[in-house]
Amino acid sequence: MTKLMVGTVQFGMSYGIANQQGRPSREEVLEIIKFGYESGIRDYDTAAVYGESEEVLGQAFKELGISHKVNIFTKIEELDDEVKKSGKEAGKAIVASLERSLKRLKMDCVAGVLFHREDELKHIDVLQKLRQEGKCKRIGISCMHDPQRALSFLEFDLVEAIQLPASLMDRRHLEAGVFNRASTQGVLTFIRSVFLQGILTMKNKTIPSKLKSLRPLHSRYALLAEEAGITLKEMALRFILNHPVSKVVIGIESLMQLKENLCFFERGPLPDDLMQALTLTYEQPDPYLITPALWPAQV
């Protein structure tokens, strides 16, 4: 079974600085999911805030008759400030969010539910109750870029799944041991942003000027990839496969893109000599440059 988990934010909205194709049509999504299923893909990442993503997925799964044969991990809507003041009201909002997601997905139960915001993990007992009621199978948290916070979340006995950003350029969680800790504890680890929002799929000269300080490191990686006879995109993806991860979330915009990424996964981890070269070449960039949430709106 492939480690590719289809990221579906693009199914519900235009997303990503490297997105040149825009949002795929529902017919294209159906084609993507059908091909993915026939190729062994069973895992999908979505969220209540990904536009129409859940609705599009639900309809596609129903049309293909595979709703009970795929694993969907969704995320709870962010709680507003007023709701956060009351544990009772927060609990109601969390339950209502999942109920809406299940309705859109046309499912009675999903493989997992994650909090989309780190500060909401304190309400994980609400997710535990929903799991006990059969509304989901696993519960957890989608993390940002601070590895110490991620490590602290792994101390919660109820956390069974954790989503983390990581890439060739952003190794903060990796170097802090978050991957290894999660693996040791049997926590599912989903890695997102392996292309750093598309930076590692771009030509060097097309990297936005406000992020131009990434260009020298990008050039060194591109050269290593060329010497290895592969693309930088392939190297970036397969690099993650050299580490203990459960699934790698790849945002998909087209069938061609899905086929390309599947080929990369099938080739497996990078060879040891290339991994050694990547280790020797690595320099952690300014955290601002590898934290998309900090990028200016018009990057």
Side-chain angles (χ1 to χ4, degrees):
M1 187 70 70
T2 179
K3 286 192 174 184
L4 193 161
M5 171 181 269
V6 176
T8 66
V9 61
Q10 289 93 335
F11 292 178
M13 62 176 69
S14 294
Y15 177 82
I17 63 171
N19 185 337
Q20 301 295 317
Q21 303 180 62
R23 178 182 167 188
S25 68
R26 295 203 179 202
E27 291 74 19
E28 290 172 319
V29 170
L30 191 69
E31 188 177 34
I32 288 168
I33 293 175
K34 183 176 184 294
F35 180 85
Y37 185 80
E38 293 170 347
S39 303
I41 294 175
R42 298 291 183 272
D43 302 282
Y44 291 82
D45 170 78
T46 188
V49 297
Y50 289 173
E52 297 180 346
S53 174
E54 291 181 325
E55 180 184 350
V56 170
L57 284 173
Q59 186 60 40
F61 294 145
K62 181 182 178 181
E63 288 184 32
L64 294 171
I66 59 173
S67 296
H68 299 293
K69 300 177 182 179
V70 290
N71 304 313
I72 309 301
F73 281 79
T74 191
K75 306 179 198 77
I76 297 296
E77 295 174 38
E78 182 178 5
L79 303 177
D80 64 41
D81 292 337
E82 283 302 311
V83 167
K84 287 180 180 180
K85 295 177 181 179
S86 166
K88 183 177 180 180
E89 292 305 311
K92 288 181 180 179
I94 292 166
V95 171
S97 176
L98 180 55
E99 292 290 353
R100 287 191 292 271
S101 290
L102 291 172
K103 183 177 181 180
R104 288 189 288 263
L105 289 164
K106 304 184 190 303
M107 294 178 172
D108 298 320
C109 174
V110 289
V113 180
L114 310 180
F115 282 112
H116 216 153
R117 296 291 179 266
E118 292 180 337
D119 64 345
E120 294 170 9
L121 188 62
K122 61 186 177 183
H123 301 297
I124 196 167
D125 57 311
V126 179
L127 293 189
Q128 180 188 27
K129 184 178 179 183
L130 289 166
R131 181 183 56 189
Q132 292 170 341
E133 293 173 356
K135 301 293 179 65
C136 59
K137 296 177 181 177
R138 286 182 180 262
I139 58 179
I141 179 75
S142 177
C143 298
M144 294 299 288
H145 296 78
D146 183 347
Q148 295 310 310
R149 295 205 71 185
L151 287 169
S152 72
F153 298 149
L154 290 173
E155 294 178 4
F156 284 68
D157 292 337
L158 295 177
V159 170
E160 301 169 314
I162 188 167
Q163 187 178 114
L164 304 164
S167 69
L168 273 172
M169 290 184 171
D170 181 5
R171 307 188 195 181
R172 286 172 284 185
H173 288 299
L174 178 60
E175 296 193 332
V178 181
F179 287 26
N180 288 330
R181 174 78 68 81
S183 178
T184 299
Q185 294 179 198
V187 174
L188 294 180
T189 310
F190 306 138
I191 306 305
R192 71 175 186 272
S193 200
V194 297
F195 301 128
L196 191 58
Q197 299 289 312
I199 293 294
L200 290 165
T201 69
M202 292 179 171
K203 297 292 185 182
N204 191 276
K205 64 182 180 181
T206 64
I207 293 174
S209 59
K210 293 180 180 178
L211 302 176
K212 65 182 179 181
S213 294
L214 289 174
R215 290 177 184 172
L217 183 58
H218 185 282
S219 291
R220 291 199 292 274
Y221 285 153
L223 179 59
L224 283 174
E226 183 179 358
E227 291 173 348
I230 60 178
T231 64
L232 175 55
K233 182 177 182 179
E234 177 177 343
M235 187 171 76
L237 191 156
R238 292 175 61 195
F239 166 80
I240 297 298
L241 299 179
N242 285 76
H243 305 286
V245 302
S246 304
K247 297 288 176 180
V248 182
V249 181
I250 303 294
I252 300 297
E253 300 159 16
S254 68
L255 181 57
M256 182 182 298
Q257 191 181 66
L258 176 61
K259 290 179 177 179
E260 178 187 45
N261 283 298
L262 267 173
C263 285
F264 297 158
F265 275 89
E266 289 170 359
R267 292 170 189 164
L270 294 173
D272 292 343
D273 59 340
L274 183 51
M275 282 299 293
Q276 184 176 8
L278 287 170
T279 299
L280 293 174
T281 306
Y282 182 61
E283 296 175 7
Q284 180 177 300
D286 181 335
Y288 165 81
L289 297 171
I290 53 175
T291 307
L294 300 179
W295 293 351
Q298 301 298 321
V299 72

